[in-house]
Amino acid sequence: MKDGITVKGILALTIAGAAVAMDIVCMRISNGWILFSLMTGFFYSLCGNGGGLYGFLTGLLIPAAVLGWLFLFRMLGPGDIKLFCVLGGVMGPESIWHCMGIAFLVGALLSLAVLVSCGNLAERFRYLADYLEDFMRTGIRKPYYKKGFALENIHFTVPIFMSVMLYAGGLY
């Protein structure tokens, strides 16, 4: 565990916090915010206690390479992947692995809680099975999520923000 909150932690928390607010209010993360955060992270990495150019680029590319396939199947939005990329540039390659893992764990727990509390767990498993069967039969990638407002369509920026809070607090 680290001692105290760092500038890097505050920067990551600010980036993720603004992104979750945008996602909840506007249903998307502004590309302007992503670009501003990317430039801020880049300059921070080159100055002060940042990870340098190599750490910035490596941290930036890991989420794109690892999570890109989830976008292809519309299981993860492009804003979430871009947010992970920006955070990877700020946090560095080692910490972004932890951030992604914790965010997916928190997201799974939140999703399970929503599904159990709404009583539609079996329905969602049928939806997944039908989705996979349809893809295997046709080869066509369609969005996985349900259109419109559905309680099980969680904003993944929330688990990302929760993971970044743990990072800023010194857990990893």
Side-chain angles (χ1 to χ4, degrees):
M1 203 180 241
K2 299 181 209 171
D3 294 329
I5 193 160
T6 63
V7 172
K8 191 184 285 194
I10 292 170
L11 182 58
L13 201 55
T14 303
I15 291 168
V20 76
M22 280 180 216
D23 192 25
I24 289 171
V25 171
C26 304
M27 301 296 289
R28 64 184 305 271
I29 303 168
S30 163
N31 282 332
W33 178 249
I34 293 292
L35 184 59
F36 174 77
S37 300
L38 185 65
M39 298 305 294
T40 302
F42 175 73
F43 289 119
Y44 175 75
S45 291
L46 295 181
C47 306
N49 293 331
L53 184 60
Y54 177 77
F56 176 79
L57 291 176
T58 307
L60 181 87
L61 293 174
I62 287 172
V66 173
L67 303 176
W69 69 274
L70 289 173
F71 171 70
L72 290 177
F73 289 96
R74 307 298 191 258
M75 294 177 165
L76 193 62
D80 300 321
I81 295 173
K82 290 184 275 187
L83 178 59
F84 271 131
C85 290
V86 169
L87 290 170
V90 170
M91 297 163 65
E94 184 179 324
S95 293
I96 197 60
W97 282 109
H98 295 289
C99 182
M100 290 188 304
I102 291 169
F104 276 95
L105 178 63
V106 169
L109 292 173
L110 285 174
S111 296
L112 184 61
V114 167
L115 291 174
V116 169
S117 69
C118 292
N120 62 356
L121 187 59
E123 176 188 332
R124 287 306 295 181
F125 278 117
R126 278 193 303 278
Y127 183 83
L128 175 62
D130 291 344
Y131 175 85
L132 292 173
E133 179 185 334
D134 188 49
F135 172 72
M136 297 302 276
R137 188 173 27 83
T138 65
I140 298 171
R141 294 184 302 246
K142 293 186 254 180
Y144 179 73
Y145 57 86
K146 290 185 176 182
K147 292 197 189 273
F149 178 79
L151 189 55
E152 64 265 20
N153 289 349
I154 67 165
H155 294 271
F156 195 62
T157 52
V158 173
I160 294 171
F161 180 67
M162 293 171 81
S163 179
V164 171
M165 286 188 337
L166 296 173
Y167 169 78
L171 182 67
Y172 62 93

